[in-house]
C-alpha cells in the first residue's frame, strides 16, 4: 500500500488528528507515534542508556579497584602474619635456648655451691678434729703435769733431778737434730 493512497482514502471532513484511544488506533497512528518517540525520545533514551552504561562501568572499575586494594591489604596482612609467626618461632627458640643456658648455669652454680659446702664441711671436720686433739692433748698434758707435780711432791731428791735433767737434755738434742 502506498502512503499517499492512505491519505486519499480518508472521508471528507475528517482530517489528520490524534486518536487517544489506543485500542482504536490504526497502524498508521502507531507508526507515527513510534517514529516521533524514537526520533525525539531516542536521543534522550540513548543518552540515558549511555549515562547508565558509564555509571555501571565506573562502578565496576571502582569495585575492581577496591577488590585490588583489598587483595593488596590481604597480601600485606598475610606477610605480616608470616613475619609475626617467624618472629614468634624465633622468640620461642631464643626462650628455649635462654632457659637451657639458665638451667646449665643453675646446675653449675649448684655444683660449685655443693663443692664449696663440702670443702667447708671438710675444713670444719678438720678444725673440730684438731680442736678435739688439742683438748685431748691439753688434758693429757694437764694430767701428765699433775702426775709430775705429785711425783715432785713425793720424790724430790737429787737423783730424780739428775734423771729429769738428763731426759730433757736428750729431748733437746733430738729436737735440734730433726
Amino acid at each position: 500500500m502506498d502512503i499517499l493512497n492512505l491519505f486519499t482514502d480518508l472521508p471528507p471532513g475528517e482530517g489528520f488528528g490524534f486518536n487517544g484511544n489506543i485500542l482504536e488506533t490504526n497502524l498508521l497512528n502507531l507508526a507515527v507515534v513510534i517514529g516521533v518517540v524514537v526520533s525525539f525520545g531516542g536521543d534522550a533514551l540513548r543518552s540515558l542508556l549511555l549515562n547508565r552504561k558509564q555509571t555501571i562501568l565506573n562502578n565496576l572499575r571502582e569495585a575492581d579497584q577496591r577488590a585490588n586494594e583489598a587483595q593488596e591489604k590481604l597480601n600485606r596482612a598475610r606477610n605480616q602474619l608470616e613475619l609475626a609467626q617467624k618472629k614468634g618461632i624465633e622468640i620461642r627458640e631464643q626462650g628455649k635456648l635462654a632457659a637451657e643456658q639458665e638451667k646449665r648455669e643453675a646446675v653449675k652454680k649448684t655444683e660449685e655451691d655443693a663443692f664449696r659446702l663440702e670443702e667447708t664441711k671438710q675444713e670444719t671436720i678438720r678444725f673440730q678434729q684438731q680442736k678435739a686433739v688439742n683438748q685431748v692433748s691439753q688434758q693429757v698434758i694437764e694430767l701428765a703435769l699433775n702426775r709430775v707435780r705429785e711425783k715432785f711432791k713425793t720424790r724430790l731428791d737429787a737423783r730424780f733431778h739428775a734423771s729429769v735433767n738428763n731426759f730433757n737434755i736428750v729431748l733437746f738434742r733430738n729436737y735440734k737434730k730433726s
Side-chain angles (χ1 to χ4, degrees):
M1 231 176 174
D2 193 36
I3 292 182
L4 292 175
N5 287 337
L6 286 176
F7 288 123
T8 57
D9 290 338
L10 287 176
E14 291 185 29
F16 183 76
F18 181 73
N19 185 358
N21 188 352
I22 296 177
L23 295 176
E24 292 180 4
T25 58
N26 59 23
L27 189 56
L28 183 63
N29 284 340
L30 280 176
V32 169
V33 169
I34 290 174
V36 170
V37 167
V38 167
S39 65
F40 291 114
D43 290 337
L45 185 60
R46 261 187 242 114
S47 170
L48 256 165
L49 288 176
L50 281 174
N51 286 342
R52 182 68 183 148
K53 179 181 175 183
Q54 288 300 322
T55 304
I56 290 171
L57 289 175
N58 286 340
N59 286 342
L60 286 175
R61 275 189 229 110
E62 289 175 4
D64 283 342
Q65 184 179 2
R66 285 193 301 266
N68 289 339
E69 289 173 359
Q71 185 65 38
E72 287 174 10
K73 286 181 181 178
L74 177 64
N75 289 339
R76 276 187 257 132
R78 283 181 179 161
N79 289 341
Q80 288 176 350
L81 175 64
E82 287 176 20
L83 288 174
Q85 287 175 338
K86 287 177 184 177
K87 188 71 170 175
I89 291 170
E90 183 180 317
I91 289 172
R92 186 178 313 121
E93 292 299 321
Q94 287 177 352
K96 286 180 183 178
L97 291 175
E100 285 295 322
Q101 185 177 1
E102 287 291 326
K103 180 181 173 183
R104 285 191 300 269
E105 288 177 8
V107 167
K108 182 180 175 182
K109 188 172 181 346
T110 303
E111 288 173 353
E112 289 173 356
D113 289 345
F115 181 73
R116 273 186 265 143
L117 285 173
E118 183 64 27
E119 284 181 344
T120 304
K121 180 181 94 173
Q122 293 300 328
E123 287 178 20
T124 304
I125 289 172
R126 283 191 296 270
F127 175 74
Q128 291 297 333
Q129 285 175 343
Q130 187 65 33
K131 187 176 173 183
V133 167
N134 287 343
Q135 284 178 347
V136 169
S137 297
Q138 282 294 110
Q139 289 175 351
V140 168
I141 291 171
E142 278 186 43
L143 187 60
L145 285 175
N146 285 339
R147 282 188 176 174
V148 168
R149 285 187 198 129
E150 289 295 322
K151 283 186 181 181
F152 278 139
K153 287 181 185 176
T154 56
R155 296 195 219 163
L156 283 176
D157 59 356
R159 193 180 97 210
F160 180 71
H161 278 292
S163 69
V164 168
N165 286 338
N166 288 336
F167 177 73
N168 284 333
I169 290 171
V170 169
L171 280 178
F172 184 67
R173 283 185 189 153
N174 287 338
Y175 178 72
K176 256 183 144 178
K177 287 180 184 178
S178 12

